[in-house]
Amino acid sequence: MSGLVNALVIVAVAAIVIARQFRAQAINTDRRWWLLPVILGVVALREPGILDGHHHAESAVLLAVELVIGVATGAGWAWTTRVWTASDGVVWTKSTRASIAVWVVGVALRIGLYALGRALGLHQASSALMLGFAATLLVRSGILFWRAQSLGSVTRPAPAYGDGMRPARKERV
């Protein structure tokens, strides 16, 4: 895929995922929560040029930092998400205002990383960004899956950082 197509895929998937997270939604613990991040990761790794051909070491360091930012963003997003069990036993999630802050910081760090790469004269493919986003989704989904399983039959919300522990209303589907 071209860089423009990769960028459009990243923006589309990010917009869908982010928009869905601010509505209450049920977690299906039988679902393959890892599938979308793995698909994004495979698509990103298939692309040639994930590392700059003339600056292998520098671009590898930037890619590693991108992955660290992705993992940190995913973990922060998961821990700032409210998770609770309804009276019927269904586990629900909804992102909080603190989740917005995590996303803003993550985007700012990625923009800074891109600017650093440009200042160093490195070619940066959009596949590195897609791989970082896949890491974000994988870590977030994994932590939420673990939190959902650990709730058991508890009917009160699990704590989320920055959340006043107000019960969220369930939206109609």
Side-chain angles (χ1 to χ4, degrees):
M1 281 193 268
S2 71
L4 177 61
V5 173
N6 277 350
L8 291 175
V9 167
I10 293 167
V11 170
V13 170
I16 291 168
V17 168
I18 293 168
R20 289 183 61 208
Q21 300 315 309
F22 290 96
R23 294 186 319 229
Q25 60 182 2
I27 291 181
N28 182 355
T29 55
D30 296 332
R31 194 180 71 166
R32 292 187 177 104
W33 53 269
W34 48 267
L35 189 58
L36 177 62
V38 168
I39 290 170
L40 287 175
V42 168
V43 169
L45 290 173
R46 280 190 39 212
E47 292 296 313
I50 195 165
L51 297 177
D52 187 343
H54 301 292
H55 306 96
H56 285 291
E58 296 89 347
S59 61
V61 168
L62 281 183
L63 180 61
V65 172
E66 172 69 35
L67 290 174
V68 168
I69 291 170
V71 166
T73 302
W77 188 14
W79 286 108
T80 58
T81 298
R82 184 181 306 130
V83 179
W84 72 96
T85 304
S87 59
D88 59 358
V90 176
V91 179
W92 290 81
T93 66
K94 183 178 180 183
S95 290
T96 62
R97 290 181 186 161
S99 302
I100 295 170
V102 168
W103 268 100
V104 169
V105 168
V107 168
L109 288 173
R110 285 183 168 111
I111 289 171
L113 189 63
Y114 180 78
L116 176 65
R118 290 292 275 186
L120 295 174
L122 300 176
H123 169 72
Q124 300 173 70
S126 60
S127 54
L129 181 61
M130 187 181 297
L131 191 60
F133 186 60
T136 298
L137 291 179
L138 184 66
V139 169
R140 179 194 181 273
S141 299
I143 291 173
L144 284 181
F145 182 78
W146 173 74
R147 287 180 67 195
Q149 285 187 326
S150 68
L151 277 180
S153 62
V154 178
T155 57
R156 59 181 168 74
Y161 181 80
D163 187 19
M165 297 304 298
R166 298 176 316 272
R169 67 178 173 84
K170 198 172 5 174
E171 294 181 339
R172 295 183 186 254
V173 180

